[in-house]
Structure formats: structure tokens, C-alpha cells
Amino acid sequence: MMTSDIRPARPEDAGAVAEIWYQGWCDGHLGNVPEDLVASRTKESFGTRAAERVDDTVVATVDGAVAGFVMVVGDEVEQVYVASGHRGTAVAAGLLTEAERLVAVNGHQQAWLAVVPGNARARRFYERRGWTDDGLFDHQAPSDSGPISVPAHRYVKRL
């Protein structure tokens, strides 16, 4: 059985985080978000964003290689991605548990995250982990040209 180690990201992890983020984002978002968001999410943009977000990032490693990551800001679990070869393992659950812990450490009693309606795999995963769909809202996704409105489900969990 494969086990993962959870630790804060380091600058040298940014390349692996960017690759996992780009591939996972494409898997869960293409065909499920507005085209202007797709146009702004170039492969290069994930490299830039991963390097800028190291301080908000926690990684899971398997045999020393980054297998997934989460980004937490305040009470929001902002990003949760696992490399395709590690999906269906305990990596995602370990990362989400760590994200929930970080939200609590940030002084919040409830965590939230956004999931696009068409990302059924992610929605099932969060529901299995005790998260509740709190309804649709317009998520404001950041881009170089300003926020892009993206219909999303707001999932919440009491901590």
C-alpha cells in the first residue's frame, strides 16, 4: 500500500505543482467553465501561479515525488489536486484532512470550497468526505484581465 507524506510546499515543488494543477484543472474544468476562463488558464499561467502560491500550498509526496497538493486561504480550501497516477488512493483524503486542519488553525469553524457543476468526480469525493453542497453561486475566478464569473457549487464543512 502506498503512503504519502504531507508537508508545506517548497519553491522547488512549484514545477510539479504546476503540472499536476494544469492536468487536473483541464480534467475537471474543460467543457464546464466559460471559454474566457479556459483562454486565461494557459499551461504557462499555472507555472506562474504555482510559484507565486508556494506559501499557501501543502503537498503530498509519495516516494519523494509530489503526488498532489492543496492551497488554503483563510476559511477557503482553494485548490485540491492529485496527480492522475495517484487518484483513487489515500492522497486526496490526506490532503483534504490537512486542509480542514489548516482552516481550523486559521480560526474558522467552517471550511468552504467551490466546485463547478460538471466536475462530478470531485463533487462525489467531497460528499463522501462529509462536505455538504450549500448551493450554486457565482465564483469570481481571478485572471490577468480581472475576475471571471464562473457558476459553481459552494461546498461547506463544519470543523
Side-chain angles (χ1 to χ4, degrees), residues 11-81:
E12 59 267 25
D13 298 322
V17 166
E19 185 62 32
I20 293 167
W21 196 358
Y22 175 71
Q23 291 299 324
W25 190 90
C26 289
D27 290 348
H29 292 81
L30 293 182
N32 295 318
V33 297
E35 284 304 313
D36 51 345
L37 183 61
V38 174
S40 76
R41 296 295 189 254
T42 63
K43 188 168 188 173
E44 295 75 25
S45 74
F46 287 92
T48 300
R49 292 168 64 215
E52 292 171 349
R53 301 290 305 275
V54 168
D55 291 342
D56 300 328
T57 306
V58 171
V59 297
T61 61
V62 174
D63 296 328
V66 176
F69 72 93
V70 293
M71 293 178 180
V72 174
V73 177
D75 62 344
E76 181 182 6
V77 178
E78 199 175 279
Q79 310 294 335
V80 181
Y81 288 94

Side-chain angles (χ1 to χ4, degrees), residues 112-118 123 133-137 150-155:
W112 76 276
L113 53 82
V115 185
V116 295
R123 293 180 65 199
D133 186 345
D134 200 37
L136 285 168
F137 78 110
V150 178
H153 286 267
R154 179 183 171 98
Y155 275 74

Side-chain angles (χ1 to χ4, degrees), residues 120-149:
R121 180 184 179 107
R123 293 180 65 199
R124 283 190 308 271
F125 169 72
Y126 296 126
E127 290 165 4
R128 282 193 313 269
R129 301 290 304 168
W131 289 69
T132 303
D133 186 345
D134 200 37
L136 285 168
F137 78 110
D138 285 327
H139 177 66
Q140 300 302 306
S143 78
D144 290 341
S145 58
I148 297 171
S149 185

